[in-house]
């Protein structure tokens, strides 16, 4: 299969003219590649968790690129043109929000924050607004409006799902792509690499912050998330 793209943690292969095979590797990185490691089993955990998140979104009426989970570490997906905007949704203050603004980590936000970051390593993924996105030809105003709506709906679905598993969905990042008809589909991955997940009782970190901030065994935490989602399966 022809390799289309290899990123920091995933490799994308062309499956056929309108499908791609996404391989989740065991590579883990933070700080735009400044910190790197390989964690055995991470690719499989993230592929399995992502597949479950996409299935859940589809079931709740959100269109995604997901077609099929291929054990242990791949997903078959519709080919899309990824819009180079990271759509970030925040329920609780954490991460860059607390670095840039006077929010306290763990503070419940009065209103959900939807934030657009320009996906561009050279510029360090800067936060942008609608006017900048339109001027950079990243998306139309209509698309940006829909992206916000999709992000809020994804938040409602995932927040409720994790709450029932004893986990707080602090924040997350999604990527959105256009299919051949220009329809917007949630794409990329939705995993503990792209969501902040805290235990509801203890506030233990169960996501990539464990790696970013050297808080312990990141794979052990991802396994806790998988265990809560899948139980014995
Ligand atoms: P923050 O802006 O606080 O660093 O990130 C907010 C949320 O979006 C976190 O859940 C974080 O994991 C996710 N996120 C933001 N940018 C990236 C990115 O470039 N890669 C990954 N994997 N997640 C990101």
């Amino acid at each position: 299969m022809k390799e289309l793209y290899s990123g920091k943690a995933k490799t994308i292969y062309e499956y056929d003219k309108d499908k791609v095979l996404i391989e989740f590797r065991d590579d883990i990185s933070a700080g735009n590649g400044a910190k790197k490691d390989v964690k055995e089993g991470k690719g499989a955990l993230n592929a399995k968790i992502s597949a479950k998140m996409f299935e859940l979104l589809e079931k709740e009426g959100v269109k995604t690129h997901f077609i099929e989970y291929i054990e242990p570490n791949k997903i078959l997906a519709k080919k899309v043109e990824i819009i180079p905007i990271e759509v970030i949704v925040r329920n609780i203050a954490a991460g860059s929000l607390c670095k840039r603004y006077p929010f306290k980590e763990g503070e419940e936000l009065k209103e959900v924050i939807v934030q657009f970051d320009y996906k561009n390593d050279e510029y360090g993924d800067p936060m942008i607004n609608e006017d900048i996105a339109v001027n950079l030809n990243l998306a139309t105003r209509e698309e940006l409006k829909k992206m916000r709506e999709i992000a809020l709906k994804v938040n409602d679905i995932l927040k409720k799902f994790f709450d029932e598993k004893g986990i707080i969905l602090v924040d997350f990042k999604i990527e959105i792509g256009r299919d051949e008809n220009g329809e917007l589909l949630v794409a990329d991955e939705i995993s503990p690499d792209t969501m902040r997940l805290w235990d509801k009782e203890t506030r233990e970190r169960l996501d990539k912050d464990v790696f970013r901030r050297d808080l312990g065994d990141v794979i052990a935490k991802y396994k806790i998330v998988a265990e809560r989602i899948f139980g014995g399966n």
Side-chain angles (χ1 to χ4, degrees), residues 8-10 29 32 86-90 93-100 115 117 119 121 125 169-175 188-189 191-197 207-209 212:
K8 295 186 198 90
K10 298 190 294 294
S29 69
N32 195 6
E86 297 184 335
V87 186
I88 294 170
V89 182
R90 303 177 187 274
S96 69
L97 191 73
C98 302
K99 287 208 185 91
R100 293 175 182 157
Q115 175 188 332
D117 283 6
K119 207 171 135 65
D121 284 345
D125 294 349
L169 177 63
V170 172
D171 58 28
F172 65 89
K173 181 262 299 188
I174 51 170
E175 293 187 23
D188 192 52
E189 69 174 296
S191 73
D193 268 16
T194 62
M195 299 182 273
R196 281 200 175 89
L197 302 169
D207 56 67
K208 202 163 101 172
D209 272 352
R212 293 187 188 105

Side-chain angles (χ1 to χ4, degrees), residues 172-185:
F172 65 89
K173 181 262 299 188
I174 51 170
E175 293 187 23
I176 292 175
R178 303 178 187 99
D179 70 5
E180 72 280 9
N181 305 313
E183 183 156 28
L184 298 182
L185 307 181

Side-chain angles (χ1 to χ4, degrees), residues 9-20:
K10 298 190 294 294
T11 305
I12 318 288
Y13 300 93
E14 183 163 51
Y15 183 82
D16 64 25
K17 81 174 202 325
D18 44 28
K19 296 190 199 77
V20 291

Side-chain angles (χ1 to χ4, degrees), residues 107-138:
E107 174 187 340
E108 180 106 26
L109 295 166
K110 201 164 63 142
E111 290 185 24
V112 175
I113 293 175
V114 179
Q115 175 188 332
F116 293 145
D117 283 6
Y118 179 25
K119 207 171 135 65
N120 185 316
D121 284 345
E122 195 188 333
Y123 287 84
D125 294 349
M127 181 161 79
I128 54 172
N129 65 14
E130 234 183 76
D131 290 347
I132 294 173
V134 168
N135 275 283
L136 285 171
N137 293 315
L138 306 181

Side-chain angles (χ1 to χ4, degrees), residues 8-208:
K8 295 186 198 90
K10 298 190 294 294
T11 305
I12 318 288
Y13 300 93
E14 183 163 51
Y15 183 82
D16 64 25
K17 81 174 202 325
D18 44 28
K19 296 190 199 77
V20 291
L21 195 62
I22 304 174
E23 180 193 18
F24 290 69
R25 306 193 316 267
D26 288 343
D27 300 282
I28 188 162
S29 69
N32 195 6
K35 187 173 172 186
K36 279 190 219 170
D37 206 344
V38 178
K39 299 282 180 189
E40 202 187 327
K42 181 199 161 241
L45 282 160
N46 278 359
K48 189 176 179 187
I49 293 169
S50 278
K52 175 71 186 180
M53 299 295 101
F54 286 124
E55 279 169 357
L56 174 68
L57 294 181
E58 289 279 350
K59 196 175 85 177
E60 300 288 336
V62 176
K63 296 206 166 84
T64 80
H65 71 158
F66 180 75
I67 300 173
E68 191 187 344
Y69 170 47
I70 300 166
E71 279 186 67
N73 68 332
K74 294 185 187 70
I75 280 179
L76 185 65
K78 291 175 198 154
K79 200 186 266 183
V80 294
E81 180 195 6
I82 293 279
I83 297 172
I85 293 178
E86 297 184 335
V87 186
I88 294 170
V89 182
R90 303 177 187 274
N91 297 302
I92 290 181
S96 69
L97 191 73
C98 302
K99 287 208 185 91
R100 293 175 182 157
Y101 309 97
F103 288 103
K104 280 205 191 67
E105 188 181 59
E107 174 187 340
E108 180 106 26
L109 295 166
K110 201 164 63 142
E111 290 185 24
V112 175
I113 293 175
V114 179
Q115 175 188 332
F116 293 145
D117 283 6
Y118 179 25
K119 207 171 135 65
N120 185 316
D121 284 345
E122 195 188 333
Y123 287 84
D125 294 349
M127 181 161 79
I128 54 172
N129 65 14
E130 234 183 76
D131 290 347
I132 294 173
V134 168
N135 275 283
L136 285 171
N137 293 315
L138 306 181
T140 65
R141 282 197 194 273
E142 184 62 26
E143 283 176 330
L144 293 162
K145 185 166 168 257
K146 278 195 200 138
M147 287 162 73
R148 181 183 162 90
E149 285 164 13
I150 291 169
L152 287 171
K153 179 149 188 202
V154 168
N155 186 45
D156 286 344
I157 297 164
L158 298 187
K159 206 167 103 174
K160 178 164 178 283
F161 175 82
F162 280 111
D163 183 65
E164 286 163 2
K165 315 282 179 201
I167 291 174
I168 305 170
L169 177 63
V170 172
D171 58 28
F172 65 89
K173 181 262 299 188
I174 51 170
E175 293 187 23
I176 292 175
R178 303 178 187 99
D179 70 5
E180 72 280 9
N181 305 313
E183 183 156 28
L184 298 182
L185 307 181
V186 180
D188 192 52
E189 69 174 296
I190 306 177
S191 73
D193 268 16
T194 62
M195 299 182 273
R196 281 200 175 89
L197 302 169
W198 295 355
D199 180 89
K200 212 154 91 174
E201 301 298 320
T202 64
R203 299 214 149 193
E204 181 187 4
R205 274 48 172 175
L206 303 173
D207 56 67
K208 202 163 101 172

